[in-house]
Amino acid sequence: MLDLKQIRQNFDDIQAALGRRGDYDLAPLRDLDQQQRELETQRSQLQARSNEIGKAVGQQIRQGADPKGADILALREEGNQVKAQLAELDPQEKDLKGQIEAILLGLPNLPSATTPDGKDETENVEIRRWGDEYIPQAPAGAPLKPHWEIGEALGLLNFERSAKIAQSRFVTLIGQGAALERALFTFMLDRHTRHGYTEVMPPYLVNTASLTASGQLPKFKEESFQCKDDDLWLSPTAEVPVTNLHRDEILPAEDLPLHYCAYTPCFRREAGSYGRDTRGLIRLHQFNKVEMYKFVHPDTSEAEHQTLVADAEAILQALKLPYRVIELCTGDLGFSANKTYDLEVWMPSAQTYREISSCSNCGDFQARRASIRFKVAGQKGTQFLHTLNGSGLAIGRTMAAVLENYQQPDGTVKVPEVLQPYLKPTFRTPKCHTQELRLKPLQTGHSRLLQFILTTFRTFLTRIGY
RNA sequence: GGAGAGGUGGCAGAGUGGUCGAAUGCGUCCGACUUGAAAUCGGAUGUCCCAAAAGGACCGUGGGUUCGAAUCCCACCCUCUCCGCCA
């Protein structure tokens, strides 16, 4: 939320800054604000008189005046008149306040002075690339396969059955596929917690107030799944619950910065994206994500933003996945952000980079919506802190990138080195000693026999104490 | 889901119609006493609106009654205890 006081005092500057993002006219807001303030002055004067009357009546009765006497009755009469006037002004003022609030909640954050201008994603700016040497080259006559083909062939994931269970744009991970997902988020959480982020596991259903505080509501209602009976929504990102961890709080300045990370499923309706990325793990209604989140002192938020991006990059580097960093231009900036870096990972099948992380500085925009402030001990007053969030990383897209970048000519997929400790085989699953993801395609009669033998063998191993 | 209790300042906790933004205790800060500390004593100590003074708002939230509501009425939310159900 923008600061109404700022809009009042620096109208032209704010209008210009907002103009860099799109077509916004703040003039109506300014007029409403002016009307509201005039009404407020009137109203509080009436209120003062009303308070005076109330006190006078009390005092006189206490001093022995007849509660039904003429003096008291006259005061009461005046009190009633004041009340009648207030009854007229009050709804007007509330209405104005409501209108102002509605407009403010619908305005996006101001872009940072350093955010490049641009109309849409085509004008984003590439900052740097990493890992060109890891870009896989297709052998002659055998183009690199898309991740959904690899995944389905190895039996790691299944879309058809997911549509049966839920709808299209859902996935079920199976066997080593599920294990890979688990390895990925465990690896990421381990990294982040080592780097000082406190792991949180928040509720995945959030209420309207929480979604409003982080900026998803009221403007992006159609993007979230809603549980209409309960004032609850399926969280579209851990950014929502984590922002609201400290909603309506005043934190001691010495507690800052607070760094959190959270692994959560994310639910998005993806309304308006029909026809885009209909295959694979790129755009699902439900996906898992590890999120990093920071509550920081305003003076440090730019530096914190850089380290946030670095922490996300560290994951891609550890996985040896080629990527590039781009800075979003004003036209592509998210609603709550004043500056955003996206990490895009190399997807060999499409021969292009795809977004895998988005790291934003929200300045005090969310803090103001959520009323999250800090207080310096011994100093008067409070200040809004700054919030930052970044994916570190989206798990499904990371899996897609791993499957594609680590695919082998023989149809198997190598496990990235840093994940191997997480996918270490156990005695009971000797098959995994290969360190490769290998799963049978849908069973034929012949493989059923194999399956039977394997199962019997495993049962035997378990029996004898393995 | 059923029954009961309750939501007040950083915390504990009083306050059932009037001078209550709110006793008291604890905590915190400043000062005095002390070589220093403890103890003791004195003072201060919430947030928001308004450029500020004045003024106004805030006792879970939203309505209502009243000249006047922390206090009475209604609805909702939340917490706790017991019962039921359940991983």
Side-chain angles (χ1 to χ4, degrees):
Chain A
M1 188 149 62
L2 302 183
D3 184 0
L4 192 55
K5 202 188 282 182
Q6 283 290 319
I7 294 175
R8 200 180 292 145
Q9 288 166 354
N10 305 316
F11 184 82
D12 293 334
D13 291 348
I14 308 264
Q15 175 70 75
L18 208 51
R20 295 177 59 207
R21 294 195 59 141
D23 196 15
Y24 296 95
D25 181 11
L26 291 177
L29 179 62
R30 179 178 53 186
D31 296 344
L32 286 172
D33 178 47
Q34 183 135 17
Q35 289 176 46
Q36 188 272 326
R37 293 179 67 198
E38 280 163 16
L39 268 180
E40 182 173 319
T41 309
Q42 280 182 50
R43 203 218 55 226
S44 78
Q45 278 166 1
L46 281 172
Q47 202 74 257
R49 179 59 191 149
S50 171
N51 290 345
E52 240 171 14
I53 293 169
K55 273 184 190 164
V57 171
Q59 220 155 31
Q60 291 189 21
I61 292 177
R62 184 168 292 262
Q63 284 165 2
D66 175 7
K68 298 253 162 79
D71 286 355
I72 303 270
L73 284 180
L75 280 172
R76 280 195 191 175
E77 180 49 35
E78 192 190 344
N80 273 324
Q81 281 172 13
V82 170
K83 198 161 66 164
Q85 288 174 289
L86 279 171
E88 266 187 52
L89 293 186
D90 226 35
Q92 286 179 41
E93 202 198 334
K94 271 197 185 140
D95 179 54
L96 284 171
K97 275 192 167 161
Q99 288 184 51
I100 290 167
E101 178 87 353
I103 293 174
L104 278 176
L105 285 175
L107 292 174
N109 200 356
L110 302 178
S112 154
T114 57
T115 296
D117 282 306
K119 61 176 192 315
D120 57 33
E121 70 272 9
T122 59
E123 297 189 56
N124 292 340
V125 178
E126 182 173 315
I127 306 285
R128 59 181 169 269
R129 284 184 190 215
W130 183 93
D132 279 358
E133 66 272 29
Y134 297 115
I135 291 180
Q137 302 303 320
L144 293 169
K145 286 190 235 156
H147 64 272
W148 57 87
E149 280 181 21
I150 302 166
E152 289 195 307
L154 294 175
L156 306 176
L157 43 86
N158 189 288
F159 290 105
E160 283 160 40
R161 286 168 174 138
S162 307
K164 177 171 64 181
I165 298 168
Q167 262 187 22
S168 65
R169 287 192 192 276
F170 284 88
V171 72
T172 303
L173 300 172
I174 302 162
Q176 290 297 290
L180 176 58
E181 181 95 352
R182 178 155 52 88
L184 281 167
F185 70 69
T186 308
F187 161 69
M188 291 178 196
L189 287 171
D190 285 351
R191 277 274 163 144
H192 295 320
T193 50
R194 268 212 305 283
H195 285 93
Y197 293 82
T198 302
E199 182 178 348
V200 293
M201 206 173 252
Y204 306 147
L205 299 193
V206 296
N207 58 33
T208 300
S210 292
L211 277 166
T212 307
S214 48
Q216 278 75 15
L217 288 177
K219 229 181 160 181
F220 306 100
K221 190 169 185 282
E222 66 294 330
E223 253 310 297
S224 291
F225 290 105
Q226 183 175 15
C227 311
K228 287 201 167 136
D229 291 341
D230 295 292
D231 184 34
L232 287 171
W233 308 66
L234 278 67
S235 171
T237 159
E239 176 192 345
V240 178
V242 178
T243 302
N244 285 278
L245 209 51
H246 294 296
R247 173 151 53 92
D248 294 324
E249 288 185 25
I250 299 171
L251 304 166
E254 62 267 25
D255 284 5
L256 300 179
L258 291 171
H259 292 181
Y260 292 105
C261 62
Y263 157 74
T264 69
C266 304
F267 303 92
R268 300 186 182 176
R269 296 191 59 229
E270 297 295 344
S273 64
Y274 296 117
R276 290 175 64 192
D277 309 313
T278 47
R279 305 201 65 181
L281 298 168
I282 299 301
R283 195 175 299 275
L284 300 174
H285 289 308
Q286 176 189 328
F287 62 95
N288 297 314
K289 177 160 61 68
V290 169
E291 183 79 356
M292 302 176 286
Y293 199 97
K294 296 179 171 185
F295 297 89
V296 308
H297 189 288
D299 292 348
T300 67
S301 78
E302 281 182 35
E304 292 274 11
H305 194 193
Q306 298 304 320
T307 56
L308 183 74
V309 177
D311 288 334
E313 287 184 67
I315 301 290
L316 286 168
Q317 291 177 10
L319 289 168
K320 297 194 168 117
L321 290 171
Y323 68 91
R324 63 174 185 173
V325 182
I326 60 163
E327 177 168 9
L328 300 194
C329 69
T330 50
D332 200 26
L333 207 55
F335 185 75
S336 298
N338 66 34
K339 189 178 182 68
T340 297
Y341 296 102
D342 274 5
L343 304 189
E344 296 183 337
V345 71
W346 178 252
M347 295 300 278
S349 70
Q351 291 288 299
T352 184
Y353 289 96
R354 296 301 305 258
E355 177 186 340
I356 196 167
S357 170
S358 192
C359 300
S360 298
N361 187 348
C362 294
D364 64 5
F365 186 83
Q366 287 178 324
R368 182 170 276 111
R369 284 177 162 247
S371 186
I372 308 172
R373 292 165 288 170
F374 67 93
K375 183 177 175 63
V376 180
Q379 275 182 30
K380 210 171 156 53
T382 57
Q383 251 189 93
F384 289 110
L385 46 71
H386 283 193
T387 60
L388 301 101
N389 65 80
S391 355
L393 307 163
I395 312 291
R397 290 186 180 187
T398 308
M399 181 181 300
V402 167
L403 293 181
E404 293 200 9
N405 284 284
Y406 281 82
Q407 62 181 295
Q408 303 300 306
D410 66 355
T412 62
V413 173
K414 277 199 171 150
V415 176
E417 222 173 293
V418 290
L419 295 183
Q420 287 177 9
Y422 297 92
L423 289 166
K424 256 204 173 116
T426 66
F427 284 123
R428 258 168 273 180
T429 53
K431 222 178 74 166
C432 295
H433 272 299
T434 55
Q435 298 278 15
E436 287 175 349
L437 297 165
R438 209 195 275 277
L439 226 131
K440 294 173 298 301
L442 278 179
Q443 290 177 3
T444 60
H446 140 109
S447 75
R448 276 210 183 107
L449 177 66
L450 191 66
Q451 175 80 30
F452 173 76
I453 295 167
L454 262 174
T455 310
T456 313
F457 180 58
R458 272 186 214 161
T459 311
F460 169 72
L461 280 179
T462 311
R463 287 262 169 87
I464 64 169
Y466 271 82

